[in-house]
């Protein structure tokens, strides 16, 4: 259990690191866009190799497909709720969709880390690297947008600290429940994270990266994918 807590904290630390980097200096829109594009590429790699691919290895395609659909719907409706809250308050959502995406994909991703530890598979270095590399741009992009929208630094740090704590607890929860998690359920968890990520990427992260970084976004995305894929396969 202590190992799950420790490794979960390592993975979630990138969320706080990205937040502190965003709050420590003013980031130009072009730089934020480039960071988001790099992160989008890393997340596409994560979906391909560490989530959908891993899910198909431990469970059936139906379990993965159901998980993908559930994750996609969860992000879609949660994102609409965030937009409605922002509209009622007379303010933009200012980076909240990226924080929501980090939460909805972070919980199942880190639960899988905990399950692997408890079942004797050890820590998946590939997944750990993918989580760490992709978390940084999400946190930087979201915290920068929230700061630009006028949100107090204290509130931004509190939000991302809460997301990080929930993700750490998900690792511990995965470790605790590993004994009752079947292969199909683990595949569904992987699929849920993949589905939430894909909707967030298409609806939020990629359009914002393109808007801020212009035609450099595509190159940065490919670079992020290549780096994450290489690290994943090396691990």
């Amino acid at each position: 259990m202590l190992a799950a807590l420790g490794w979960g904290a390592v993975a979630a630390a990138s969320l706080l690191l990205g937040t502190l980097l965003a709050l420590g200096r003013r980031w130009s829109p072009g730089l934020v866009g480039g960071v988001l594009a790099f992160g989008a590429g890393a997340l596409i790699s994560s979906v391909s190799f560490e989530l959908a691919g891993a899910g198909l290895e431990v469970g059936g395609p139906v379990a993965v497909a159901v998980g993908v659909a559930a994750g996609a719907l969860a992000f879609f409706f949660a994102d609409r709720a965030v937009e409605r809250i922002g509209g009622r308050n007379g303010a933009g959502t200012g980076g909240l969709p990226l924080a929501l995406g980090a939460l909805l994909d972070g919980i199942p991703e880190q639960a899988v880390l905990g399950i692997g530890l408890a079942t004797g598979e050890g820590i998946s270095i590939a997944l750990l690297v993918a989580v760490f590399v992709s978390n940084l741009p999400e946190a930087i992009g979201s915290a920068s947008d929230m700061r630009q929208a006028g949100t107090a630094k204290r509130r931004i740090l509190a939000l991302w600290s809460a997301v990080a704590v929930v993700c750490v607890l998900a690792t511990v929860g995965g470790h605790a429940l590993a004994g009752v998690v079947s292969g199909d359920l683990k595949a569904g968890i992987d699929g849920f994270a993949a589905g939430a990520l894909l909707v967030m990427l298409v609806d939020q992260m990629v359009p914002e990266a393109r808007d801020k970084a212009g035609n450099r976004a595509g190159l940065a995305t490919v670079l992020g994918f290549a780096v994450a894929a290489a690290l994943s396969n090396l691990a």
Side-chain angles (χ1 to χ4, degrees):
M1 189 66 74
L2 287 177
L5 183 63
W7 283 114
V10 169
S14 55
L15 295 170
L16 291 179
L17 177 59
T19 303
L20 292 173
L21 287 172
L23 297 180
R25 53 161 290 179
R26 289 284 181 182
W27 291 60
S28 68
L31 186 55
V32 172
V35 168
L36 286 173
F38 182 92
L43 288 170
I44 293 170
S45 172
S46 178
V47 169
S48 303
F49 300 114
E50 304 305 331
L51 296 174
L56 290 171
E57 288 181 4
V58 299
V62 173
V64 175
V66 170
V68 168
L73 289 170
F75 181 85
F76 177 77
F77 286 111
D79 185 44
R80 290 186 66 183
V82 167
E83 289 180 352
R84 285 196 297 271
I85 292 170
R88 283 199 299 268
N89 292 341
T93 52
L96 283 178
L98 289 179
L100 175 65
L103 183 65
L104 289 181
D105 75 75
I107 291 174
E109 279 179 342
Q110 298 209 194
V112 169
L113 287 176
I115 292 170
L117 283 168
T119 54
E121 298 174 10
I123 188 71
S124 171
I125 299 299
L127 181 56
L128 182 67
V129 168
V131 170
F132 199 95
V133 169
S134 59
N135 277 348
L136 272 174
E138 282 183 291
I140 291 172
S142 174
S144 296
D145 284 351
M146 294 176 73
R147 185 179 181 186
Q148 185 67 30
T151 305
K153 289 184 179 181
R154 183 175 56 237
R155 291 186 60 187
I156 298 171
L157 187 58
L159 171 65
W160 280 98
S161 296
V163 172
V165 168
V166 171
C167 289
V168 172
L169 292 177
T171 311
V172 176
H175 186 279
L177 296 175
V180 297
V181 174
S182 66
D184 281 343
L185 182 54
K186 186 177 178 181
I189 292 171
D190 283 330
F192 184 95
L197 273 175
L198 286 171
V199 177
M200 187 271 288
L201 282 167
V202 174
D203 285 354
Q204 301 291 340
M205 202 165 182
V206 172
E208 185 173 355
R210 171 67 184 181
D211 181 60
K212 291 182 175 178
N215 57 12
R216 294 170 296 174
L219 289 175
T221 300
V222 173
L223 179 60
F225 180 90
V227 170
L231 290 172
S232 175
N233 284 285
L234 284 174

